[in-house]
Amino acid sequence: MNVCELLRQLQTEHDETAARADNLREQIERLTTALAETEARLAELTATRKVIDGLTPPDHEPAPAQTTTVYQRIVTAFNEHPGKVFRVHDLHEHLGLPTDEPSINVTRSRLGRLTRQGFLEQPGRGRYQKRT
């Protein structure tokens, strides 16, 4: 292989690599634009949800998306037994939820939120019932 052939191969590889780099830059530009549009839409959806949540009465306020199922089960349990006073551990047993301490603490937080929203009341420490 002579020097001219080597230079020609180097130029060919350089041209191919430069073309690939240009292609990747274009992809990055398209993805950056798509990401910015998606993030803007996400911000719009978040703002819309906040507005709707602010207009919804507290007793119909939806729970956060990631915990809707557990919140709904808790609300349903209180709706089915409106006069019953639940302790957190009893509620877990009633719903078939784990009774380990971390799970109990999460439910305490949820019950606290439902109390602050006016759905539940606390007739005693650690006891919850549906507000009438």
Side-chain angles (χ1 to χ4, degrees):
M1 177 180 289
N2 65 30
V3 173
C4 290
E5 265 184 57
L6 183 60
L7 288 173
R8 198 172 31 245
Q9 285 180 347
L10 283 172
Q11 185 63 47
T12 301
E13 188 173 341
H14 176 271
D15 293 344
E16 290 171 357
T17 304
R20 184 158 191 265
D22 289 341
N23 185 16
L24 289 172
R25 283 187 200 96
E26 289 173 11
Q27 286 180 20
I28 289 170
E29 192 173 316
R30 283 193 310 271
L31 289 172
T32 300
T33 301
L35 178 60
E37 291 169 356
T38 302
E39 286 176 338
R41 180 64 180 149
L42 184 59
E44 290 171 357
L45 292 171
T46 301
T48 302
R49 170 136 187 162
K50 285 181 181 178
V51 168
I52 291 171
D53 283 347
L55 298 173
T56 306
D59 60 337
H60 293 101
E61 192 166 324
Q66 68 272 21
T67 56
T68 299
T69 303
V70 176
Y71 269 101
Q72 189 57 48
R73 290 177 65 197
I74 291 170
V75 169
T76 300
F78 281 102
N79 284 336
E80 289 173 350
H81 307 284
K84 184 171 180 174
V85 176
F86 283 99
R87 295 183 67 94
V88 181
H89 193 275
D90 299 334
L91 182 63
H92 266 244
E93 288 180 352
H94 177 76
L95 296 174
L97 296 172
T99 56
D100 59 293
E101 196 60 30
S103 297
I104 295 285
N105 287 335
V106 169
T107 299
R108 277 192 189 102
S109 295
R110 290 176 176 143
L111 294 174
R113 178 175 287 145
L114 290 170
T115 301
R116 288 188 301 278
Q117 291 173 345
F119 180 76
L120 300 178
E121 60 186 9
Q122 280 188 282
R125 187 170 188 257
R127 301 179 193 295
Y128 300 87
Q129 76 180 63
K130 183 174 180 178
R131 182 171 292 216
T132 53

